[in-house]
Amino acid sequence: AQSVTQLGSHVSVSEGALVLLRCNYSSSVPPYLFWYVQYPNQGLQLLLKYTSAATLVKGINGFEAEFKKSETSFHLTKPSAHMSDAAEYFCAVSPYTGGGNKLTFGTGTQLKVEL
Amino acid sequence: DAGITQSPRHKVTETGTPVTLRCHQTENHRYMYWYRQDPGHGLRLIHYSYGVKDTDKGEVSDGYSVSRSKTEDFLLTLESATSSQTSVYFCAISGGGLNTEAFFGQGTRLTVV
């Protein structure tokens, strides 16, 4: 069984400030971990993924995440927020089985970026 | 963008009527998935397919059925729509195997009145 917890359903930052979105996972097998972004009225777009290679993963749009097994965490960060980063962000986990990519999602974090 | 088309994009239907949503892909990916998105729940897996005529249930499959007669098409059917099935439905595809990712369609907003 696997699950994902995203702390904070809404996060607000100032433009230029650090973005930190939290994700903790629970998995009975080595996990794949993902961050997706969703802009209004659109589908989900992959930001980055962890697949047991490097623990620090760099993604698109300046985002990165670090896999910490001891803390069962995969927090998403960006050094400097931009207005265009305002969106909803989802953390997801998938079992490392090779049998497709059945994702279990967190409940999402809505990021607001203020001037 | 991954070649995924969902149809219709919006639909309003009455309680008790059957509804079919279609997902069409042009990527020849083996795996296809249906998720629903609801506030406070994120996305939840309804059904998935690992090949033509091969499907299995996800987390929230009650009241839904699926069919996949061709690699490119994955249909989701609500046999008798209920208001609790008002949601946004997303289709996703993936190539399977290691180190793969899921690509999502644009979604179908379904309202059951």
Side-chain angles (χ1 to χ4, degrees):
Chain A
Q2 23 181 26
S3 65
V4 171
T5 302
Q6 290 185 241
L7 293 177
S9 59
H10 291 81
V11 170
S12 183
V13 301
S14 299
E15 190 174 36
L18 172 72
V19 175
L20 171 60
L21 304 182
R22 300 179 185 273
C23 173
N24 288 88
Y25 71 92
S26 172
S27 178
S28 57
V29 297
Y32 282 162
L33 291 160
F34 305 81
W35 275 99
Y36 282 86
V37 61
Q38 184 181 34
Y39 299 100
N41 299 314
Q42 294 189 24
L44 279 71
Q45 179 184 3
L46 182 70
L47 274 178
L48 50 81
K49 61 183 179 182
Y50 166 76
T51 57
S52 76
T55 56
L56 181 62
V57 181
K58 294 188 183 298
I60 62 172
N61 301 338
F63 285 94
E64 63 181 37
E66 186 172 8
F67 172 71
K68 292 186 177 180
K69 185 177 180 180
S70 61
E71 298 178 7
T72 62
S73 68
F74 191 58
H75 301 332
L76 182 71
T77 60
K78 182 175 180 178
S80 177
H82 191 272
M83 296 297 289
S84 61
D85 295 326
E88 189 158 24
Y89 293 80
F90 293 94
C91 182
V93 61
S94 177
Y96 188 87
T97 64
N101 204 342
K102 299 183 293 293
L103 296 166
T104 299
F105 284 88
T107 53
T109 298
Q110 188 73 44
L111 176 65
K112 182 178 180 181
V113 182
E114 300 174 315
L115 288 172
Chain B
D1 291 344
I4 309 171
T5 304
Q6 291 186 231
S7 59
R9 293 291 313 279
H10 301 271
K11 186 171 182 65
V12 179
T13 193
E14 293 186 350
T15 298
T17 61
V19 177
T20 295
L21 308 183
R22 180 180 184 239
C23 178
H24 178 79
Q25 62 147 328
T26 58
E27 306 295 324
N28 201 35
H29 279 349
R30 177 182 178 187
Y31 294 89
M32 299 185 75
Y33 316 81
W34 278 107
Y35 291 86
R36 60 177 289 174
Q37 181 178 22
D38 303 288
H41 291 276
L43 283 81
R44 293 176 291 175
L45 183 64
I46 305 171
H47 280 281
Y48 64 99
S49 170
Y50 46 96
V52 174
K53 298 192 189 314
D54 292 324
T55 65
D56 206 347
K57 296 179 180 180
E59 179 188 357
V60 289
S61 60
D62 287 348
Y64 301 94
S65 63
V66 290
S67 66
R68 191 171 178 196
S69 59
K70 297 185 291 184
T71 298
E72 57 266 34
D73 290 326
F74 192 33
L75 304 180
L76 176 71
T77 297
L78 291 65
E79 303 290 346
S80 178
T82 68
S83 59
S84 64
Q85 294 176 312
T86 292
S87 186
V88 180
Y89 292 86
F90 286 97
C91 174
I93 64 174
S94 73
L98 301 179
N99 210 21
T100 60
E101 64 184 82
F103 297 93
F104 284 79
Q106 294 296 296
T108 294
R109 184 173 296 276
L110 177 67
T111 302
V112 183
V113 297

